[in-house]
Amino acid sequence: MFNYILRRLAYALPILLGVNFITFALFFMVITPDDMARLHLGDKHITQEQTKQWKHERGYDRPLFINSAHQDIEVIKDTIFYQKSVRLFFLDFGTSDADRRDINYDISQRVWPSIAIAVPTFVVGLLVNITMAMLLVFFRGTQLDTMAVVMTVILMSISSLFYIIAGQFLMSKLWHLTPISGYELGFDAWRFLILPVVIGVISGMGAGTRWYRSIFFEEINRDYVRTARAKGVPELKVLFRHVLRNAMVPILTGVVVVIPALFMGSLIMETFFAIPGLGSYTIEAIQSYDFAIVRSMVFLGSVLYIIGLVLTDISYTWVDPRVRLS
Amino acid sequence: MRSITKTVFLIILAFFTGACDNNPYTASLSGKNILFSAFSTRIKYLDPARAYSSSEYRFIRQIYEPPLQYHYLKRPYTLIPLSATEVPKPQYFDANGNVLPENAPVKTIDHTVYEISIQRGIKYQPHPGFARDAQGRFIYHNLSESALSNIHELSDFEKTGTRELVANDFVYQIKRLAHPRINSPIYGLMSEYIVGLWELNERLQQVDKEQKLDYIDLDNYPLEGVEVVDDYTYRIRITGKYPQFLYWLAMPFFAPVPPEAERFYSQKVLIKRNITINGYPVGTGPYMLTVNNPNYRIVLERNKNFHGELYPLEGAAGDKELGLLRDAGKPLPFIDTAIYTLEKETIPYWNKFLQGYFDAATISSDNFDQAVTISADSNAILTDEMREKGIRLITSVRPTNFYFGFNMQDTVVGGTAESARLLRQAISIAMDIEEFISIFHNGRGIPAQGPLPQGIFGHKEGEKGVNPYIYDWVNGQAKRKPIAIARSLLAEAGYPNGRNEKSGKPLVLYLDVRGGGPDDKSMFDWYRKQLAKLDIQLIVRATDYNRFREKMQMGNAQIFWWGWHADYPDPENFLFLFYGPNGKVKYGGENAANYQNDKFDALFEQMKNMDNGEARLKIIDKMVEIVRYNAPWLWGFHPLEFSMHHDWEHNVKPHPMENSSLKYWRIDHEKRENYREKYNKPVLWPLGLMLALVVIITVLAVRLYRQREYRRQAVNN
Amino acid sequence: MEFFDIKLVILWTDGLLFLLTLLALFAIIYIYRNPYLRCTWREVFRSKIGISAFVVLMAYITTGLLDSFHFRMALETTANQTEKHYSGEVTSLLDIILGSLYQHQEKTYSAPFSAFQFTKENTEQPDGTFQRQYPRLEYGGSHLNEELSDKFADITHRTIVSIFWALAIWGSIAVFLTFMMARKNRDRLESELKPRFGKKLGLLVSSMAHTWRKIWTGSTDIPWNIALITTGILILSISWFAQMAEGYHIFGTDKVGNDVFYLAIKSIRTGLIVGTVTTLIMLPLAIILGIMAGYFRGWIDDVIQYLYTTLNSIPGVLLIAAAMLVLNVWIDNHPEQFPTAVERADIRLMSLCIILGLTSWIGLCRLLRGETLKLRELGYVQAAQVFGVSHVQIIKRHFLPNLMHIVLITVVLDFSFLVLAEAVLSYLGIGVDPTTASWGNMINAARLEMAREPVVWWSLIAAFVFMFGLVLAANLFSDAVRRAFDPRGIS
């Protein structure tokens, strides 16, 4: 186990380096540090001096990848890429380019609203989808099943934007049941979460239910299920004892990877419902060309994804004792 | 099993009916003397040396008190003292230091001195930066990481202190304008006027480079043109004559900043927690900022050290009838707390206003029809529905221009050639600004006849003020010239039917705009439609604002859509937009059309430093005529601001120059509670319906299941 | 290319779309010649849902293709003109077909089928005074009388005319189909029916009648009756829309008075392009890299795996957003390469497809790699390797045909996902150009309209209906395809 994690970590390094390289290449391919300075400094009389100062303060006055002014290892070390990347690996994100706020601090503040909306949506969605799929499998071959399958396709074919617009319109404007948007720190947040969570669950229901249904169907036609049924085990018991447990591996493959990424929040939900989470943080940063924040969020996202992969592997050993990590 | 589900449903139902409402605030905020408002863009700078937008001024005007302010009610805009004892009188000197009389010719004036004396006994808001221990040492000026383990916001500091406002604080702030790390937006402009500011900047840059300190003590670096006379008096020396300087003294750039605060905020451990002077201002004003989460909420609370100020005793004509003098002479401020919530989307913003969760709102063009109808004599009045709710509408003209500029450096539309001028004039006639205002602003705008908006010296109403190159005066109204005239002008310019006379090539023009939002597609379509009337093809190039600015800087635009909001209510602040040496491309100034006309420039230099009067008016008329004739701008419109207020909000009078209205406002929170209760009754039947649906489906499913089990057993048996 | 008075304009996306159509035609010919594939595809069309979804899809695709033939009209020549000039406006074949709709522009909002503007306006009365009222529209319902008393009669009349048209067209299609099928089964039918009908004409009629009965009762192998009914409904709605659109704004008008129905139709092309061109970009990457990784293993596999894990670990929307903004900056900095607004909008659409393609190849690549690893172990592949057959040959002969069903299923599944993604990205401001007609842009504008009172609901509904139709058809079709090609997945 320990060896396994060590190896995964060693494997993660080049991936993170690659991710960083891509973000750098993407950004600096079109926007030079001078452009960035001009974009951020605003429109009133900007002198050459001020641009220089801006770049210097943020460390953008070095060459991008290779510094030919030096001889030895400094050729690589005294560059924007090296200087900015190394700190990322210690999860030290530095300050934002625009207003020089501490990014680590901002992330630590904004991660909570993101979790508050993403985790309930995920958990409730998972439960609802699995339950629905189980029911469909249970009622397979009946009218109920056919109708429900058609329903899932219809649900799938509606853009999530419609769900949001309709949800806000009905729940808040017409029926005064939930606040239309906004957020409150602390426990009071639950009132603001109902609407986005419900919408999130409904918009994911079509695809989710279908997916689990197909997994369960694959299981239900296996021999051991037939044997169990032939032995007279009640249908409900067959489903929960045998089918669900054996379907765990494909379910985990799809589900566990996503869990760490929940920290990153949802771009669309957060912008629509004015939730001050990491999703809206990122989209704001992209729109205002704040490279420091974008770089940090991309890096964080990749780290979380890699953690998700490791967790998936570990979870296999948990549901299936035959799997060993080596 | 069915009884269990039933109980669960009942519990859920009870839970929902009890807790369901759409109040976007915690219950504990109800029933208090709190103002609820919103902000729509991220607030970046609350440092008075940096902040330069109305969204930021909304906050810092309540906190920082510059020497002067505008009278809240009087019109035209009048300056009165705020932290100063009186509006300072300029003293003029010649090159030898001799005092000159007030009416001395501009040429003889070498420099001007403003001596400002400030009120005694003004105290700063409570702030940890002032906190001292028994020995008189600052407690929080040498903080370590470990001491800050429980500190996340400024309000987490246990001890606070205060001190009296002194003249040096004003001087200190003026020095900050030259600070190389602060990058004040007015440094460039002020260094031309305030003696020694440029030298100070050079010096500080050098110090910054050599010493790499966290904090530069500005008290150690003198500024030649600004001196402290005594604790309550200071002097500012200005090169030449610059009467508009008084207006600058009413802006937060010249508000006092205590050196202790900057010292305190320069500690690295605080910067790491985003506790900076940008986020947590320290002032003497009626309010202090207690919560600043720029992604979510900003809270202003009453400053208990406030020196006190009284509601004005007199106002403009008609103010008394509007009830604006009911609180005359009462101590300010009235409201205890103001809560501003980030609200980026217009729909939730508007709905929350209607639901009573925001006290005031501006109207976007999409919910305009719901709120406002235009009466037969084209006055805006509220719809019955709104009036029933007790909502009031307040309108005001903003000293703002929105315009289409022609880049005078462009080879097609620009230049001094007669053909280009005719082309510009033809386009100006074709672009139906009246229709634009009616479609996109619901009539909330006044078509501009020239550079000067209403309320600015030199603006003329009625027939005298009409731009004769674009409009005709018909039946007591300005009427846009018919399109046929524009077409003939176009032909005269060498493009009959939108085709180049010589080559037959169709004329293609480019319009640069900022945007890309949902509303913009229709606007772009509209622009194209206008020039299509002349058979000119218009290509709209939309970019985000940063890119747009860059394009303007490089002079890469042909026609562009932009706006100008005045810094102060003086014609100079509008006419300088056409002043040659202010050209955007060459000099980086605000003359975005890069217009250059020697005659105009000469008149401008003459007019700039004159006091308002007959002579000045004459020159201004001449200048307006020149730009109307040359048409470097397609005169757009001056926006009308419509804002809606609930009837529990009192003493509201918009002031486009001054954003510190908060201290004058009063709210009746009981009325607000009643309103909120009345208009936000939850509608519960959909919930019931949904539950019923779930129950029915469950029952059906259970039945189906039983049937099947029964059948299976029958088969097994 | 220039003809007498039009100049063809081939935009990037047009070109790719045509290329794709060409590829699809080749694929159809290939399938037709391959008995195994033909059999499987027959399975797709045997499903009732499958065939009706296919008919609907075809209608969308035809519209999209018609909208992709772009050209510029020549301007009239003036006296002293040396060369011919063309209008800067790029029109498409669809615009010509929809001709009148395009020009029917009002001033601002109007409700569906309304003859009045949605907002009041100051109008000058004959006596010179001004009155604030709802003005009549310039085009919508302008043929009606003052009191609109003939509106109902007019709509009924148009409906009846449209039914006649629809019946005529549908009838001829049905007759043609019956004729073709009867001819196909001529031999069998003749031997069956000859004893009863001697003459040639009678034989044809009776065999057609016989075939028709078979079709209508659904006893043909492929459910032609369903196909015909779907076609019938489609034709009826098209002819009804065509009749109505002449006199009314069926889905009202938007803020600047554009016909919403026209916008919704124009959006079809955008949706199709995002759904298909993206696939075209992603397929070569996914197939080549996936098979290479699985087949060669070793360091090639390592490199490819590294590549896709790295790309995959960047949050998708973030990557798309960053890449889109970067590309926009690039487009802004090179205005000389895209002189017209249409070209600028097109290059944005194109870049959206490229970016979506670059982010969505990973899933398929992974699947293919896994499948190739499995196939590789099979006896006949190893035998081929031992005999020294070249790698290219092995891949071509043994791998590609055995992987095609995975590719196909992924492509049809991805299509609806991509159409939906376009709307979301346009909402976030990183999708298509704001001047492009697209459902995303329509929904985006509709958000603000929903806050109006009374609500302007028609743009949202129009976008919803058209988008839902396409996505639902695609989803249902992909279901049928999956069931035919991968029966294991569903019992």
Side-chain angles (χ1 to χ4, degrees), chain B residues 31-51:
Chain B
K32 289 187 179 154
N33 187 7
I34 299 175
L35 177 99
F36 293 100
S37 188
F39 61 104
S40 64
T41 50
R42 195 186 160 119
I43 305 298
K44 275 188 183 158
Y45 305 115
L46 294 177
D47 181 340
R50 283 224 64 171

Side-chain angles (χ1 to χ4, degrees), chain B residues 283-420:
Chain B
T284 57
Y287 291 94
M288 52 194 232
L289 187 140
T290 49
V291 177
N292 181 9
N293 186 342
N295 326 307
Y296 163 57
R297 184 163 285 180
I298 292 175
V299 178
L300 297 182
E301 269 174 63
R302 191 192 275 268
N303 169 14
K304 62 173 192 234
N305 291 346
F306 183 50
H307 54 89
E309 200 185 338
L310 300 179
Y311 194 90
L313 293 167
E314 47 188 336
D319 281 352
K320 196 167 182 149
E321 290 71 25
L322 288 168
L324 285 169
L325 287 172
R326 216 174 294 153
D327 288 322
K330 285 189 190 160
L332 302 175
F334 298 107
I335 294 168
D336 290 337
T337 309
I339 296 182
Y340 299 86
T341 311
L342 179 67
E343 196 71 76
K344 281 188 187 157
E345 302 271 327
T346 50
I347 302 168
Y349 172 67
W350 176 246
N351 280 324
K352 281 179 193 169
F353 167 71
L354 288 185
Q355 291 164 351
Y357 296 122
F358 287 137
D359 294 329
T362 51
I363 315 174
S364 80
S365 102
D366 284 288
N367 39 46
F368 186 84
D369 284 345
Q370 179 187 2
V372 178
T373 54
I374 307 286
S375 64
D377 49 351
S378 58
N379 278 330
I381 42 171
L382 281 179
T383 54
D384 297 338
E385 193 200 354
M386 294 290 141
R387 261 182 294 174
E388 229 169 74
K389 292 184 172 179
I391 292 170
R392 280 172 307 145
L393 176 76
I394 291 176
T395 63
S396 62
V397 193
R398 307 205 61 177
T400 300
N401 282 334
F402 282 117
Y403 62 94
F404 294 91
F406 296 102
N407 182 3
M408 295 301 279
Q409 295 185 337
D410 186 78
T411 47
V412 181
V413 299
T416 46
E418 180 65 6
S419 63

Side-chain angles (χ1 to χ4, degrees), chain B residues 31-331:
Chain B
K32 289 187 179 154
N33 187 7
I34 299 175
L35 177 99
F36 293 100
S37 188
F39 61 104
S40 64
T41 50
R42 195 186 160 119
I43 305 298
K44 275 188 183 158
Y45 305 115
L46 294 177
D47 181 340
R50 283 224 64 171
Y52 201 11
S53 74
S54 54
S55 57
E56 291 154 353
Y57 276 5
R58 268 178 83 193
F59 300 103
I60 62 169
R61 284 254 193 202
Q62 326 298 337
I63 299 162
Y64 287 109
E65 291 185 309
L68 305 178
Q69 64 177 338
Y70 290 91
H71 192 283
Y72 183 49
L73 300 173
K74 277 188 188 162
R75 299 291 182 275
Y77 311 113
T78 317
L79 285 175
I80 55 168
L82 180 58
S83 51
T85 51
E86 58 186 355
V87 178
K89 284 255 157 28
Q91 280 178 295
Y92 303 115
F93 294 90
D94 68 9
N96 303 324
N98 301 321
V99 182
L100 294 171
E102 218 172 292
N103 53 3
V106 177
K107 273 178 205 150
T108 59
I109 297 175
D110 175 70
H111 61 270
T112 312
V113 169
Y114 290 90
E115 187 171 297
I116 299 155
S117 52
I118 58 167
Q119 294 178 36
R120 286 160 195 254
I122 294 181
K123 276 190 170 163
Y124 279 103
Q125 65 175 73
H127 191 272
F130 295 122
R132 291 172 191 256
D133 61 11
Q135 283 81 43
R137 287 173 307 207
F138 289 111
I139 304 176
Y140 296 125
H141 280 212
N142 271 312
L143 291 166
S144 61
E145 188 62 48
S146 59
L148 284 172
S149 52
N150 289 325
I151 306 277
H152 299 291
E153 287 174 34
L154 193 68
S155 51
D156 293 337
F157 283 100
E158 202 185 324
K159 292 210 172 58
T160 59
T162 183
R163 99 168 144 70
E164 195 187 2
L165 174 71
V166 290
N168 183 49
D169 298 341
F170 289 90
V171 176
Y172 186 82
Q173 163 71 355
I174 298 174
K175 288 178 183 169
R176 290 182 79 234
L177 298 179
H179 199 302
R181 287 208 206 150
I182 292 174
N183 273 328
S184 175
I186 63 160
Y187 162 71
L189 181 73
M190 282 304 143
S191 62
E192 287 168 26
Y193 289 110
I194 299 177
V195 176
L197 202 63
W198 190 81
E199 289 80 3
L200 179 67
N201 175 264
E202 289 286 294
R203 178 92 194 275
L204 290 175
Q205 271 188 32
Q206 208 183 348
V207 171
D208 192 31
K209 225 169 261 164
E210 282 163 9
Q211 304 184 4
K212 294 193 187 302
L213 294 170
D214 290 344
Y215 169 70
I216 303 175
D217 190 353
L218 294 176
D219 282 339
N220 297 338
Y221 300 94
L223 171 56
E224 196 196 334
V226 183
E227 57 181 322
V228 176
V229 179
D230 59 46
D231 264 1
Y232 304 105
T233 320
Y234 67 104
R235 275 193 209 119
I236 305 176
R237 189 143 48 99
I238 300 285
T239 324
K241 183 183 175 182
Y242 185 40
Q244 289 83 10
F245 187 69
L246 279 182
Y247 294 118
W248 287 105
L249 287 180
M251 293 180 80
F253 291 115
F254 289 88
V257 167
E260 293 95 322
E262 186 149 68
R263 182 78 222 259
F264 169 79
Y265 284 127
S266 66
Q267 300 175 80
K268 278 217 167 82
V269 281
L270 288 179
I271 295 172
K272 240 191 137 48
R273 284 173 171 72
N274 287 334
I275 298 179
T276 62
I277 199 160
N278 248 336
Y280 294 96
V282 192
T284 57
Y287 291 94
M288 52 194 232
L289 187 140
T290 49
V291 177
N292 181 9
N293 186 342
N295 326 307
Y296 163 57
R297 184 163 285 180
I298 292 175
V299 178
L300 297 182
E301 269 174 63
R302 191 192 275 268
N303 169 14
K304 62 173 192 234
N305 291 346
F306 183 50
H307 54 89
E309 200 185 338
L310 300 179
Y311 194 90
L313 293 167
E314 47 188 336
D319 281 352
K320 196 167 182 149
E321 290 71 25
L322 288 168
L324 285 169
L325 287 172
R326 216 174 294 153
D327 288 322
K330 285 189 190 160

Side-chain angles (χ1 to χ4, degrees), chain A residues 18-30:
Chain A
V19 166
N20 231 345
F21 184 80
I22 292 174
T23 17
F24 266 81
L26 256 183
F27 248 85
F28 286 109
M29 219 154 41
V30 283

Side-chain angles (χ1 to χ4, degrees), chain A residues 210, chain C residues 31 36-37 39-54 57 403-415 472-490:
Chain A
R210 269 170 70 86
Chain C
I31 290 163
Y36 168 74
L37 281 175
C39 188
T40 330
W41 271 102
R42 228 186 155 73
E43 197 60 44
V44 175
F45 292 108
R46 248 187 223 135
S47 127
K48 285 175 190 167
I49 291 180
I51 196 159
S52 69
F54 178 75
L57 272 183
L403 294 172
M404 259 329 177
H405 70 282
I406 297 182
V407 175
L408 187 75
I409 290 170
T410 318
V411 167
V412 280
L413 269 181
D414 273 5
F415 177 79
L472 186 65
N475 274 335
L476 292 174
F477 187 66
S478 78
D479 246 19
V481 169
R482 190 161 49 172
R483 222 170 288 160
F485 281 85
D486 183 23
R488 201 172 47 105
I490 294 153

Side-chain angles (χ1 to χ4, degrees), chain B residues 617-643:
Chain B
L617 190 63
K618 242 181 204 161
I619 299 176
I620 290 174
D621 283 350
K622 271 187 208 158
M623 296 170 75
V624 169
E625 166 60 24
I626 292 174
V627 285
R628 273 179 183 166
Y629 176 76
N630 276 321
W633 283 10
L634 191 170
W635 311 103
F637 65 97
H638 311 298
L640 276 170
E641 184 105 317
F642 279 31
S643 60

